[in-house]
Amino acid sequence: MLKSPTIPSFLWSTIKPYKWWYLLMMQAPFANAIFPLVYNYSIKLLIDLFATKSQITLHMAIYPILLFVGINTWLEICWRVHNFAAWKSMPYIMQNVMNKVYTYVSNHSYGFFQNNLTGTVTGKVKGINDGCREIHNALEYQVSKPVLTTCVSGVALACVNWKIFLLVLIFAFIQGYVSIFFGKKLNRIETAKENAWHKIIGYIADNISNIFTISSYAKGHYEAYKVNHQYEKQYKPLALEWCKVDFIMSCMQATIYIVFIALLFLYMISLKNNNDISIGDIAFVMSMAYIFLDNMWASINAIKDFSHTIARFVSSFSIMQIPQNIIDKPHAEKLKVSGGEIIFKDLCFNYENHNTIFNNLNLHINAGEKVGIVGHSGAGKSTLISLLLKNFKVTSGDIIIDNQSIGNVSSDSLRTQISLIPQDIMLFHRSIGENIGYAKDNATKQEIEMAAVSANIHDFIEGLPEKYNTLVGERGVKLSGGQRQRIAIARAILKNAPILILDEATSSLDSQTEYEIQKSINTILEQNKATVIAIAHRLSTIKYLDRIIVIDKGQIIENGSFQELMTKDGGIFRLMWDNQVNGMLI
């Protein structure tokens, strides 16, 4: 298991390469907080000057004027520095976030993606990127400005009169306590809301992926009801609870605010009656009091909103805190394939639910041998291929390729040496040329077209308006099942790996096309001497392979050539063949 990152370590790792630019960027909020103090203090000096002097010279007013002009100039300079520092840091920081999140999530095990909805995973990946952007924005603007301005204006009021300072402290303490008390509740509810929402989005995404199935079974109303039911049971109660807590908190904060402002006005009248404060001081105190109160209120709301942002981020970041089930050993070697000999030695495997699939399975496939694997559904055929590809880790035993245990080699180097044509073809929402060329780095147009010719798909592609630049749609939905499979075959032909796995590779093709493609594949296999493992339900596709293996309940029950198995009285393969020839389903 690879240790997952914590939120602080993750955020710091994205900022660290640009920490000095980031620090320079964050000086602007401090400038923003100091600006109202100096601005209003210069106004106070001018008011006192006007109140005490009948004639005012430029020399007498030069200090407040310079102070007034200087603070405006200084603020503008600070924000232009901020903009330049953001230019030098934020695009790269967000790029780091995207790369780290995608790399971590995409390197989860095969089982992780089997057990999690694609929509939920995608939603959380997007939530992390959006959350990081919102957190940075909050630190720059939404939270830092009102919080820092509140602190500076509070200190300014305290400098005028310690009793005002005491009143401010009491008010800040009460408001802070109320905000923290209710903020914790809101944060807890918000986290639960986000988790519930991610589940709903995952369910909706699953429905969209299966929209044709929903339509064909006329289940649109039923699925809409289920989505609404999930909202009613999982999300709505939390949303109502959040509104209730937020309403109570807002009422209490408003009451405290009104009491504070009333007390402040009464105290200011008292100070003036005792000649303890000047007219300029009154203007300064009242303006700073307004700034303090306004920013105090803004701070509370900003912190509340920020807590929601953090809650959403925490909910999304949970996908980064799922430890990765790393199958490769540290410093795994690179697999080197010379012939393609494959040995399954004393192989044992069971899934997490302890359902045993293989128990001391032994199978030896010679280099260049073409082997067909058949068996009823659930016999273990696909699991055997998944173990060979290191999608799962064997419980015990070993899989050896050319005298190298796949447990000691890296997954990438292993899969580079294997071409897989699965039964369920998934294509990228990219051009046909890109989908075929995906098998080989820097594949030329000529190589892609030659592979398409071998897979009997070139003429079809050339007949399209955009030809090889035609987009295939999400998961290849614009193409028929047979067309998708021929593109997958072309991709495997282009890869030209020493080991080829065919999992019902021609199951979606008509008989004539299947025959033509089978001839092309056989010709290419004879040329490159690849080791072939073909899983088949359509038994005619493996008739001419070197050997056929029959698996049942994770055990090899028959093993031999087609002729040998067909001459075996009472043999399982012969029974399967007879049933299929007679048109029965296996």
Side-chain angles (χ1 to χ4, degrees), residues 19 64 376 497-498 503:
K19 57 182 180 294
H376 297 293
D503 185 1

Side-chain angles (χ1 to χ4, degrees), residues 353-581:
N353 58 7
H354 306 296
N355 181 26
T356 300
I357 305 299
F358 298 114
N359 187 16
N360 292 320
L361 177 84
N362 287 280
L363 173 62
H364 187 171
I365 301 174
N366 296 315
E369 188 177 15
K370 300 168 181 61
V371 175
I373 300 178
V374 300
H376 297 293
S377 296
K381 306 184 297 296
S382 296
T383 302
L384 190 69
I385 299 305
S386 289
L387 292 173
L388 178 59
L389 291 167
K390 284 185 75 172
N391 292 335
F392 302 102
K393 187 176 182 180
V394 299
T395 304
S396 63
D398 202 0
I399 301 175
I400 302 168
I401 298 178
D402 285 351
N403 297 318
Q404 302 161 82
S405 170
I406 68 170
N408 296 327
V409 302
S410 67
S411 298
D412 283 347
S413 69
L414 168 68
R415 293 162 188 165
T416 299
Q417 302 296 331
I418 300 175
S419 290
L420 171 65
I421 306 175
Q423 181 178 5
D424 187 15
I425 305 299
M426 292 290 187
L427 301 180
F428 294 104
H429 181 34
R430 302 172 190 173
S431 70
I432 292 177
E434 285 180 283
N435 273 284
I436 296 175
Y438 197 77
K440 182 179 179 181
D441 293 339
N442 302 316
T444 66
K445 182 180 179 181
Q446 184 180 10
E447 289 174 324
I448 292 171
E449 290 182 358
M450 288 179 63
V453 169
S454 299
N456 195 32
I457 190 70
H458 175 72
D459 291 341
F460 165 76
I461 298 172
E462 284 294 312
L464 297 171
E466 299 295 327
K467 299 184 179 181
Y468 280 84
N469 292 322
T470 302
L471 295 176
V472 302
E474 187 176 4
R475 296 175 289 111
V477 294
K478 292 184 179 180
L479 304 176
S480 69
Q483 290 161 353
R484 289 198 298 270
Q485 237 163 359
R486 280 182 281 177
I487 288 175
I489 291 170
R491 191 158 58 190
I493 291 171
L494 179 63
K495 187 174 183 180
N496 194 27
I499 299 172
L500 175 62
I501 298 173
L502 301 100
D503 185 1
E504 290 294 321
T506 59
S507 63
S508 298
L509 306 178
D510 59 84
S511 298
Q512 180 60 35
T513 305
E514 177 190 347
Y515 174 72
E516 293 173 358
I517 292 179
Q518 199 68 49
K519 286 197 304 180
S520 299
I521 292 176
N522 289 339
T523 301
I524 294 169
L525 296 180
E526 289 172 2
Q527 291 174 351
N528 62 18
K529 307 300 180 182
T531 302
V532 180
I533 301 177
I535 296 176
H537 283 115
R538 190 180 296 180
L539 303 182
S540 61
T541 61
I542 60 170
K543 181 178 179 179
Y544 299 105
L545 298 183
D546 299 330
R547 188 157 48 116
I548 297 172
I549 296 164
V550 183
I551 293 181
D552 185 47
K553 297 179 181 178
Q555 297 294 325
I556 297 174
I557 57 175
E558 289 184 358
N559 185 355
S561 68
F562 176 78
Q563 294 298 330
E564 290 172 344
L565 296 181
M566 286 299 293
T567 57
K568 187 175 182 180
D569 292 335
I572 300 299
F573 180 80
R574 180 173 176 177
L575 178 62
M576 294 172 68
W577 178 270
D578 290 341
N579 285 339
Q580 198 166 93
V581 169

